[in-house]
């Protein structure tokens, strides 16, 4: 596994700008963006987590192999996939978007680093998060725990 020096990456990207003005923040966002709710942001982050995980599985790569190919730290990949409250760095989102050939702006929005321009984005993120979870049978223990708790919740 390679270890990446983020400072060197930032300096390299700044040199590539060749004196152009670069701003930070809501990249490419309109003056009055669509206002996202906390549930929209959570759904987007869940979608990012699931999207990255499914992309890695689609490429048939282990977490370590995927981190190496995308040039992102393994620790950050683990956080993205396993912690839906985690906010990845701008560099990581850039590297993921580049490797997966998806929109940087939309991936930034999924990561919580930019705000959605419209409700369609949030609706698509919610649909993806809902549809991407596999359906499986409850184990016997899960069924017993569910039935017991449902019985408790039903009692007065």
């Amino acid at each position: 596994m390679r270890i990446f020096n983020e400072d060197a990456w930032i300096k390299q990207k700044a040199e590539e700008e060749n004196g152009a003005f670069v701003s930070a923040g809501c990249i490419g966002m309109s003056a009055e963006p669509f206002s996202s709710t906390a549930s929209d942001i959570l759904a987007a982050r869940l979608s990012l987590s699931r999207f990255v995980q499914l992309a890695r599985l689609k490429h048939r790569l282990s977490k370590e192999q995927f981190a190496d190919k995308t040039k992102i730290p393994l620790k950050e990949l683990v956080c993205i996939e396993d912690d839906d409250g985690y906010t990845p760095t701008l560099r990581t989102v850039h590297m993921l978007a580049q490797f997966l050939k998806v929109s940087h702006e939309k991936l930034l929005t999924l990561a919580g680093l930019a705000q959605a321009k419209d409700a369609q984005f949030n609706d698509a993120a919610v649909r993806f998060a809902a549809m991407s979870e596999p359906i499986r049978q409850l184990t016997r223990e899960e069924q017993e725990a569910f039935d017991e708790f449902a019985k408790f919740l039903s009692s007065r």
Side-chain angles (χ1 to χ4, degrees), residues 110-131:
L110 282 182
L113 296 168
Q115 191 171 23
K117 290 182 182 178
D118 58 40
Q120 288 180 334
F121 181 88
N122 293 330
D123 292 343
V126 169
R127 274 193 311 278
F128 173 73
M131 292 172 39

Side-chain angles (χ1 to χ4, degrees), residues 8-149:
W9 181 85
I10 291 169
K11 287 176 185 174
Q12 176 192 353
K13 291 299 176 188
E15 288 173 9
E16 290 173 9
E17 293 297 330
N18 195 26
F21 177 76
V22 179
S23 67
C26 295
I27 298 170
M29 296 291 131
S30 62
E32 295 181 27
F34 174 78
S35 179
S36 298
T37 65
S39 61
D40 291 333
I41 294 167
L42 178 60
R45 286 199 175 149
L46 285 168
S47 297
L48 174 68
S49 174
R50 194 71 179 135
F51 180 72
V52 170
Q53 184 180 44
L54 292 179
R56 179 178 60 77
L57 293 172
K58 180 180 177 184
H59 285 89
R60 297 177 187 243
L61 298 171
S62 69
K63 286 182 181 181
E64 190 168 313
Q65 291 168 327
F66 189 79
D68 190 50
K69 287 200 179 281
T70 57
K71 299 181 176 115
I72 64 173
L74 178 60
K75 181 179 178 181
E76 191 159 23
L77 175 62
V78 170
C79 289
I80 291 168
E81 285 194 15
D82 298 340
D83 180 3
D84 54 337
Y86 178 76
T87 303
T89 65
L90 288 170
R91 178 197 173 277
T92 292
V93 174
H94 169 78
M95 299 308 286
L96 286 170
Q98 189 173 22
F99 179 78
L100 299 172
K101 296 176 178 51
V102 297
S103 162
H104 288 82
E105 184 178 319
K106 289 179 181 174
L107 211 56
L108 284 169
T109 303
L110 282 182
L113 296 168
Q115 191 171 23
K117 290 182 182 178
D118 58 40
Q120 288 180 334
F121 181 88
N122 293 330
D123 292 343
V126 169
R127 274 193 311 278
F128 173 73
M131 292 172 39
S132 66
E133 282 294 319
I135 299 172
R136 65 173 181 84
Q137 293 284 326
L138 295 177
T139 65
R140 184 175 45 84
E141 294 83 7
E142 289 170 330
Q143 184 67 50
E144 288 173 4
F146 175 82
D147 291 342
E148 183 178 325
F149 194 56

